C-alpha cells in the first residue's frame, strides 16, 4: 500500500486504496463494478495476492518439519502471521491463536472440543436471535448430544440486543453464551463486554464465545478488553484469502481441551497403544495447514494495520450514515431493519423494497454492475423475527465511495420504475 493511503488520523484516502484492488476495475454488464457485498467476502489488495504468488513461486515448503532452509523460512512466515493476528486482536499470546479454515470451523472447534466435554443435560446454551447459522447450528448439535437447552436473547426494534433479557436469561445453569459481535444482516454491534460482565456475575462457569466474522474486519478489536473466552474470525472478510480463519481462546481453556481433529502434527508421542497431545496451538492444527493462505493473510493484516482500524471504522461510519440518509430520503418504499445510529452499528445495511422480492432487486442492480446480496444471509431464524421472507443487503468496506451509494440509489430508482405497480399496492 502507498503510505498516502492514510490521509490524516481519521480519513482514509479511498482513491489510493482503490488502486491497490485490481478487481475494482472490472466491468460487469457494461458498468464498472460497484462491490457492495463485503459482508459475504471482501475484495483483495495486490499486496495479499503478491504474497500468495511469491509463496508458491519461491517459498513453498511444508512447515514445522524438515530442517532445510525453505521449510524454516515457510515456518517462520506462517508463525509470523500468528504473531501479527495476535497483536491485531489484542490476544495476550500468539500461542492462543489456532488457525482454522474459517469462522465456521473455529466455532465448531469450540463446540466439539469444549462443548461436548463440558456441557451436560439441563445446562443452558444462550445465543441471540441475530446469530449466523455458523454460531447457532454447532450449538444446537451440542444441545442435542448433551441434553442441554437452547435460549435466544431477543433483539429490539432497532436490531439491538436486549440487555434486560440478558440479565434475566443468563443464569446459574448457563454453560455457554455464544454471540455475534456484529450482525451480518443488521450491522448492529453487540455490547460484548457488558454480556461478559453479566455472564461472569450470573454464570461463573460459563464461557463466552464471540463470532467476530463481521467485527474483526471493521472494528478495532481487543479480546482482552472484551473479556470473552473465545473469538472466531475469517480471513476472507478482512482482505485475506479464502480457506483461512482463526480461533483465539484463553490459554487455560485451550490447554484443558481435548483435540478437535487428530492425526499428524498435533501429537506429542505416539505408540501403537496411545498418543499424547502436542501443546497449543499445534494440538488444534492437525495435518498440513493452509500454509500459503496463512502467509498471505499476514499481508492483509499488514494492510489493515497500516490504514489503522480507527480510520477504517471512521470511514465506514461516514459511508453508512450517508447511505442511510440518502436511501431514506430518496426511497420511501424502502424498509430498514436496524437503528441508524452509527455509534452502535457498522456498514451492513439490510432493506426491502415494498412488494418486490430481493432477488428481483439484486438482479436489476446487477444489470448496472452493482453487487449486493439477496436472501436470508445464513440467518433464517433472524428473518422469522424480522417478519421478512428475505432481505437485500448492501455492505461497505474501505474502498467504497459515496458515489457508489449514489449508484445504488440510482439503481433502486430503476427498480421503483420497473415495479411501480407492485410498490403502489399496500404492503403484501
Ligand atoms: N458469522 C457471521 C456473522 C458471518 O457473517 C459469517 C459469514 N457470512 C460467518 C459467521 C461464517 O463465516 P465463514 O463462512 O467464513 O465460516
Amino acid at each position: 500500500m502507498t503510505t498516502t493511503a492514510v490521509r490524516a488520523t481519521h480519513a482514509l484516502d479511498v482513491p489510493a486504496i482503490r488502486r491497490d484492488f485490481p478487481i475494482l476495475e472490472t466491468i460487469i454488464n457494461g458498468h464498472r463494478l460497484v462491490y457492495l457485498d463485503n459482508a459475504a467476502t471482501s475484495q483483495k489488495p495486490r499486496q495479499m495476492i503478491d504474497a500468495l504468488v511469491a509463496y508458491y513461486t519461491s517459498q513453498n515448503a511444508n512447515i514445522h518439519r524438515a530442517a532445510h532452509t525453505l521449510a524454516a523460512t515457510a515456518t517462520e512466515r506462517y508463525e509470523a502471521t500468528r504473531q501479527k493476528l495476535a497483536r491485531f486482536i489484542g490476544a495476550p499470546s500468539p500461542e492462543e491463536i489456532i488457525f482454522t479454515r474459517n469462522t465456521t470451523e473455529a466455532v465448531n472447534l469450540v463446540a466439539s472440543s469444549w462443548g461436548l466435554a463440558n456441557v451436560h443435560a439441563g445446562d443452558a446454551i444462550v445465543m441471540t436471535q441475530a446469530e449466523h447459522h455458523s454460531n447457532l447450528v454447532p450449538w444446537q448439535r451440542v444441545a442435542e448430544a448433551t441434553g442441554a437447552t437452547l435460549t435466544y436473547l431477543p433483539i429490539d426494534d432497532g436490531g439491538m440486543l436486549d440487555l434486560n433479557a440478558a440479565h434475566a436469561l443468563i443464569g446459574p445453569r448457563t454453560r455457554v453464551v455464544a454471540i455475534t459481535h456484529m450482525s451480518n444482516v443488521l450491522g448492529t454491534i453487540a455490547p460484548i463486554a457488558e454480556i461478559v460482565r453479566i455472564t461472569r456475575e450470573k454464570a461463573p462457569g460459563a464461557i463466552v464465545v464471540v463470532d467476530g466474522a463481521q467485527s474483526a474486519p471493521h472494528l478495532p478489536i481487543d479480546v482482552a478488553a472484551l473479556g470473552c473466552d473465545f473469538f472466531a474470525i475469517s480471513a476472507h472478510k478482512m482482505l485475506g484469502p479464502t480457506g483461512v480463519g482463526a480461533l483465539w481462546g484463553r490459554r487455560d481453556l485451550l490447554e484443558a481441551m481435548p483435540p478437535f481433529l487428530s492425526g499428524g502434527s498435533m501429537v506429542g508421542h505416539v505408540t501403537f497403544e496411545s498418543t499424547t497431545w502436542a501443546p497449543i496451538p499445534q494440538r488444534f492444527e492437525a495435518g498440513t495447514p493452509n500454509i500459503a493462505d496463512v502467509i498471505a493473510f499476514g499481508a492483509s493484516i499488514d494492510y489493515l494495520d497500516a490504514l489503522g482500524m480507527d480510520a477504517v471504522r471512521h470511514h465506514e461510519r461516514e459511508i453508512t450514515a450517508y447511505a442511510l440518509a440518502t436511501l431514506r430520503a430518496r426511497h420511501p418504499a424502502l424498509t430498514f431493519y436496524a437503528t441508524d445510529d452509527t455509534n452502535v452499528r457498522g456498514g451492513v445495511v439490510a432493506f426491502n423494497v415494498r412488494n418486490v422480492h430481493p432477488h428481483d432487486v439484486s438482479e436489476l442492480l446487477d444489470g448496472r454492475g452493482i453487487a449486493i446480496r439477496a436472501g436470508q444471509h445464513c440467518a433464517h431464524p433472524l428473518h422469522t423475527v424480522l417478519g421478512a421472507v428475505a432481505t437485500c443487503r448492501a455492505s461497505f468496506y474501505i474502498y467504497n465511495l459515496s458515489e457508489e451509494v449514489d449508484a445504488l440509489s440510482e439503481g433502486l430508482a430503476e427498480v421503483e420504475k420497473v415495479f411501480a405497480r407492485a410498490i403502489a399496492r399496500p404492503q403484501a
Side-chain angles (χ1 to χ4, degrees):
M1 179 190 32
T2 51
T3 46
T4 52
V6 188
R7 239 188 222 146
T9 323
H10 274 316
L12 296 183
D13 184 347
V14 178
I17 289 172
R18 291 178 70 86
R19 288 195 284 277
D20 290 332
F21 289 78
I23 204 169
L24 297 178
E25 295 298 319
T26 306
I27 302 298
I28 304 278
N29 298 321
H31 299 264
R32 165 94 64 92
L33 169 66
V34 173
Y35 187 74
L36 303 179
D37 195 15
N38 293 287
T41 198
S42 74
Q43 294 304 347
K44 318 302 175 193
R46 213 181 288 282
Q47 290 81 345
M48 187 285 276
I49 301 166
D50 289 349
L52 194 56
V53 172
Y55 173 76
Y56 281 126
T57 307
S58 58
Q59 300 158 7
N60 176 57
N62 211 331
I63 58 165
H64 298 143
R65 291 164 206 255
H68 58 77
T69 303
L70 267 190
T73 308
T75 303
E76 227 169 76
R77 287 172 192 265
Y78 180 89
E79 292 303 323
T81 300
R82 201 189 303 277
Q83 286 169 11
K84 286 175 191 181
L85 182 58
R87 232 184 7 254
F88 188 76
I89 63 168
S93 158
E95 288 161 9
E96 296 175 344
I97 301 281
I98 316 287
F99 287 117
T100 62
R101 282 190 305 137
N102 46 37
T103 300
T104 304
E105 188 174 279
V107 174
N108 273 273
L109 194 166
V110 184
S112 291
S113 177
W114 194 94
L116 293 179
N118 293 285
V119 175
H120 303 292
D123 288 345
I125 298 171
V126 177
M127 291 171 274
T128 78
Q129 290 177 333
E131 294 315 306
H132 185 284
H133 298 162
S134 290
N135 198 32
L136 192 159
V137 179
W139 298 112
Q140 282 183 339
R141 296 188 69 205
V142 170
E144 209 175 300
T146 60
T149 61
L150 300 169
T151 304
Y152 295 95
L153 302 177
I155 52 162
D156 65 21
D157 288 346
M160 296 299 295
L161 196 61
D162 179 347
L163 274 177
N164 289 331
H167 275 283
L169 295 173
I170 295 173
R173 290 310 303 263
T174 304
R175 285 297 273 156
V176 176
V177 177
I179 185 166
T180 184
H181 196 179
M182 189 196 289
S183 163
N184 69 312
V185 177
L186 305 164
T188 44
I189 300 166
I192 300 293
E194 183 61 12
I195 293 286
V196 170
R197 205 189 56 68
I198 295 168
T199 305
R200 301 293 182 235
E201 183 193 318
K202 300 272 178 77
I207 55 166
V208 179
V209 181
V210 177
D211 172 351
Q214 293 296 340
S215 62
H218 304 284
L219 308 177
I221 300 292
D222 183 342
V223 292
L226 290 175
C228 57
D229 298 298
F230 294 96
F231 193 90
I233 63 153
S234 291
H236 71 91
K237 293 185 197 283
M238 45 197 293
L239 312 183
T242 51
V244 177
L247 174 73
W248 168 78
R250 272 181 200 283
R251 176 185 291 275
D252 56 329
L253 293 170
L254 289 173
E255 284 181 339
M257 279 160 56
F260 173 45
L261 302 175
S262 48
S265 306
M266 49 74 71
V267 300
H269 185 64
V270 184
T271 67
F272 284 116
E273 289 74 34
S274 64
T275 300
T276 60
W277 313 132
I280 61 164
Q282 272 71 38
R283 183 187 309 170
F284 296 105
E285 293 183 10
T288 300
N290 189 346
I291 305 165
D293 291 307
V294 166
I295 289 173
F297 181 32
S300 315
I301 297 170
D302 289 343
Y303 194 97
L304 287 172
D305 259 339
L307 294 181
M309 290 307 291
D310 284 329
V312 169
R313 171 73 174 132
H314 179 79
H315 172 70
E316 289 180 18
R317 284 184 64 164
E318 288 206 325
I319 196 158
T320 305
Y322 179 71
L324 288 167
T326 303
L327 298 180
R328 280 194 193 279
R330 296 195 200 151
H331 305 282
L334 261 54
T335 302
F336 295 91
Y337 296 92
T339 173
D340 284 6
D341 182 357
T342 61
N343 287 307
V344 290
R345 65 164 298 149
V348 182
V349 179
F351 62 92
N352 260 311
V353 184
R354 188 168 57 241
N355 299 333
V356 183
H357 195 282
H359 287 161
D360 292 328
V361 176
S362 169
E363 215 175 292
L364 268 171
L365 292 175
D366 184 54
R368 296 170 157 253
I370 303 168
I372 64 155
R373 181 56 69 97
Q376 298 194 331
H377 323 300
C378 296
H380 295 177
L382 174 60
H383 278 77
T384 308
V385 172
L386 298 178
V389 175
T391 49
C392 304
R393 182 184 73 181
S395 49
F396 304 105
Y397 209 9
I398 51 175
Y399 33 70
N400 287 124
L401 296 158
S402 54
E403 289 92 306
E404 294 180 302
V405 172
D406 296 337
L408 172 65
S409 173
E410 284 154 24
L412 290 170
E414 185 190 344
V415 171
E416 285 157 356
K417 217 187 258 175
V418 172
F419 290 95
R421 282 173 137 204
I423 292 170
R425 288 200 297 271
Q427 178 82 47

